[in-house]
């Protein structure tokens, strides 16, 4: 059984980190057939190149569980190309269920590196080295699904950046039903913001808590929906999670403000859960030192509030539902 690590102290209390899923043994797949950690399969019939990515953050192991299952089951495309990518394998190799937050990355966050200046500059790190290896591969992808999970309590959602094409695709999938259009992070561009991908269709799914089995199920459902919608994999393939009998209606929300912590004293006035809606405009949400953070409009959606935030990091995104 996985060991139960100590709680993490957050700005609004303790969060107990229980690792309820087992990290898969990826050694059979680390060599890849396209690049190290990258498996790519082409069908005879033409179609789009769809890539599903796990482990951009090395401790978000649920995505690795999904790709491991698909590879062991021999999932192959019937048209186009299907690629399954294990991204930050070096950080994943350090994953320890007794200290599960420590292996998010080794040197720097791999999901803040995806702009040309950073990729082509002189800075060096383990994550940049890997990003530079993967970059030419991602240049040839038409549709990308990036599998992520969350530390702090939140309803699952899909992030689509500012791409109308990605938003349309995410809404059509409906799993999970909340789609958020945002500007990304001030601290750097995510993989879905990488210019060649953002001009096509790149979606990031935040599927739930890092180490819960339900998160794996949400990732499988989102991946299956994408593979069916793209036509790359036969819709009846037995490895794909079945579509929900009564899917929830998908909704789009647009971020109106990204709140970045300015002081070490940033704290929410209560332990908000991601997906909560603050009904009234001008409601106090957080304090950043002496500065007050208030809801900018009625029905303000809280997107992934981080209850322990360092200066310069995104603390929460505030969003308004569209339509």
């Amino acid at each position: 059984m996985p060991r139960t690590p100590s709680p993490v102290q957050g700005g609004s209390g303790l969060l107990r980190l229980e690792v309820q899923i087992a990290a898969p043994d990826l050694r059979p797949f680390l060599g890849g057939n396209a690049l190290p950690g990258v498996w790519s399969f082409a069908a005879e019939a033409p179609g789009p190149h769809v890539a599903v990515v796990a482990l951009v953050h090395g401790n978000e192991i649920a995505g690795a569980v999904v790709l491991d299952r698909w590879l062991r089951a021999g999932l192959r495309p019937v048209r186009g190309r299907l690629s399954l990518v294990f991204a930050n394998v070096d950080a994943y190799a350090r994953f320890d269920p007794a200290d599960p937050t420590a292996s998010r990355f080794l040197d720097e966050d791999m999901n803040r590196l995806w702009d040309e200046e950073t990729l082509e500059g002189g800075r060096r790190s383990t994550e940049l080295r890997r990003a530079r290896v993967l970059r030419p591969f991602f240049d040839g992808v038409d549709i990308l699904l990036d599998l992520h999970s969350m530390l702090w309590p939140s309803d699952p959602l899909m992030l689509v950046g500012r791409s109308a094409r990605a938003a349309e695709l995410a809404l059509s999938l409906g799993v999970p039903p909340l789609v958020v259009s945002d500007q990304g992070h001030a601290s750097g561009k995510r993989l879905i913001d990488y210019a060649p991908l953002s001009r096509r269709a790149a979606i990031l799914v935040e599927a739930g808590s890092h180490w819960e089995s339900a998160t794996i199920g949400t990732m499988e459902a989102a991946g299956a929906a994408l593979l069916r919608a793209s036509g790359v994999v036969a819709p009846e393939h037995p490895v794909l999670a079945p579509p929900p009998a009564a899917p929830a209606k998908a909704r789009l929300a647009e971020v109106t403000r990204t709140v970045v912590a300015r002081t070490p004293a940033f704290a929410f006035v209560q332990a908000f859960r991601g997906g909560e809606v603050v009904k009234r405009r001008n409601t106090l949400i957080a304090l950043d030192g002496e500065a007050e953070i208030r809801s900018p409009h009625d029905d303000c959606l809280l997107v992934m509030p981080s209850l322990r935030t360092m200066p310069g990091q995104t603390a929460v995104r505030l969003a308004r539902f569209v339509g």
Side-chain angles (χ1 to χ4, degrees):
M1 293 291 292
R3 289 175 288 171
T4 301
S6 301
V8 165
Q9 178 68 50
S12 301
L14 291 172
L15 177 70
R16 191 160 188 83
L17 304 179
E18 291 190 59
V19 179
Q20 301 174 6
I21 59 178
D25 179 3
L26 299 183
R27 286 176 294 180
F29 306 119
L30 294 180
N33 69 348
L35 290 169
V38 178
W39 292 84
S40 193
F41 308 100
E44 291 186 6
H49 181 183
V50 175
V52 183
V53 182
L55 297 179
V56 166
H57 295 130
N59 66 330
E60 297 183 15
I61 64 175
V65 173
V66 173
L67 298 198
D68 176 72
R69 287 179 180 176
W70 287 356
L71 284 165
R72 292 181 190 276
L75 184 64
R76 297 292 186 271
V78 295
R79 59 186 291 260
R81 179 176 287 274
L82 172 64
S83 297
L84 306 178
V85 180
F86 298 105
N88 197 342
V89 291
D90 288 336
Y92 177 73
R94 303 278 187 91
F95 179 75
D96 180 356
D99 191 11
T101 62
S103 57
R104 178 177 172 87
F105 53 82
L106 297 183
D107 297 325
E108 59 180 324
D109 191 331
M110 193 177 182
N111 217 26
R112 302 291 185 270
L113 306 177
W114 294 94
D115 63 273
E116 288 191 6
E117 182 178 358
T118 299
L119 291 168
E120 296 176 2
R123 198 166 86 232
R124 295 171 182 265
S125 71
T126 301
E127 280 74 23
L128 258 174
R129 183 168 60 250
R130 179 63 169 162
R132 288 163 178 155
V133 168
L134 293 174
R135 181 188 183 187
F137 177 81
F138 286 134
D139 285 343
V141 169
D142 300 307
I143 301 170
L144 179 132
L145 178 64
D146 192 8
L147 303 176
H148 285 259
S149 52
M150 297 176 276
L151 176 62
W152 302 105
S154 178
D155 297 339
L157 69 149
M158 288 188 278
L159 297 170
V160 296
R162 282 304 189 191
S163 168
R165 189 172 174 186
E168 182 180 3
L169 175 60
L171 288 167
S172 73
L173 302 181
V175 185
L178 176 59
V179 178
V180 176
S181 170
D182 71 341
Q183 305 95 336
H185 297 277
S187 53
K189 287 192 175 183
R190 304 163 297 193
L191 178 58
I192 64 167
D193 303 319
Y194 176 51
L197 292 172
S198 66
R199 289 194 293 266
R200 298 163 192 165
I203 299 169
L204 186 160
V205 60
E206 295 281 6
S209 297
H210 283 327
W211 308 295
E212 295 182 0
S213 58
T215 300
I216 298 172
T218 300
M219 287 182 177
E220 287 183 314
L226 178 66
L227 296 181
R228 289 192 185 96
S230 65
V232 167
V233 172
E236 68 279 5
H237 197 292
V239 77
L240 297 183
K249 179 177 174 55
R251 298 190 71 185
L252 177 65
E254 290 184 349
V255 169
T256 56
R257 180 183 177 188
T258 298
V259 178
V260 176
R262 302 299 180 191
T263 74
F266 185 99
F268 290 95
V269 297
Q270 65 185 72
F272 287 112
R273 177 184 177 87
E276 284 191 53
V277 175
V278 177
K279 289 295 184 182
R280 299 298 181 191
R281 177 184 177 276
N282 207 37
T283 299
L284 182 65
I285 296 172
L287 295 171
D288 193 357
E290 296 183 358
E292 295 183 344
I293 310 298
R294 294 181 175 271
S295 53
H297 43 73
D298 290 345
D299 296 322
C300 181
L301 174 71
L302 304 185
V303 179
M304 297 177 62
S306 176
L307 303 184
R308 186 184 63 178
T309 307
M310 302 296 290
Q313 294 180 342
T314 300
V316 66
R317 281 156 280 188
L318 308 177
R320 189 200 307 268
F321 287 104
V322 178

